[in-house]
Amino acid sequence: GPGGRSYAFIIDFHIRVLFAVGWAFGFSLWLRVYTDAGDEPPLPLLLAAFVPPIAIYLLYHPVLELVMAGRTPGKRMAGIRIVTQDGIVPS
């Protein structure tokens, strides 16, 4: 029901945010060390700081549901998964 799906979404939301913020924070610390105090970082480095967190956030559900047979970590903890009406994993 909606309770289990909401619980799974909250868990998955927190995982996505932790990975995305962790990447952005870690990369920004590395970027600060890599560049001198007055230098502007080049555009590719700035993109490398912000594109992966966006990709993590947007592709989390589709990729994990394909790789983990219809279950994300949140769905696994909530005990739900995506299946077809026949009860098999969708293709």
Side-chain angles (χ1 to χ4, degrees):
R5 289 184 296 198
S6 298
Y7 175 64
F9 178 79
I10 289 170
I11 292 170
D12 288 330
F13 175 78
H14 283 90
I15 292 170
R16 286 187 300 179
V17 168
L18 285 174
F19 276 120
V21 169
W23 173 272
F25 182 72
F27 197 86
S28 68
L29 286 178
W30 178 82
L31 190 61
R32 176 175 265 173
V33 170
Y34 177 77
T35 60
D36 291 332
D39 292 346
E40 283 289 322
L43 182 62
L45 285 179
L46 288 177
L47 290 176
F50 294 107
V51 171
I54 292 169
I56 289 168
Y57 190 82
L58 294 177
L59 297 176
Y60 176 85
H61 282 283
V63 170
L64 286 182
E65 286 175 0
L66 287 173
V67 171
M68 298 177 66
R71 291 184 130 175
T72 61
K75 288 177 184 168
R76 185 177 298 264
M77 288 179 189
I80 59 176
R81 68 182 178 142
I82 295 177
V83 294
T84 63
Q85 289 181 351
D86 299 331
I88 58 174
V89 177
S91 60

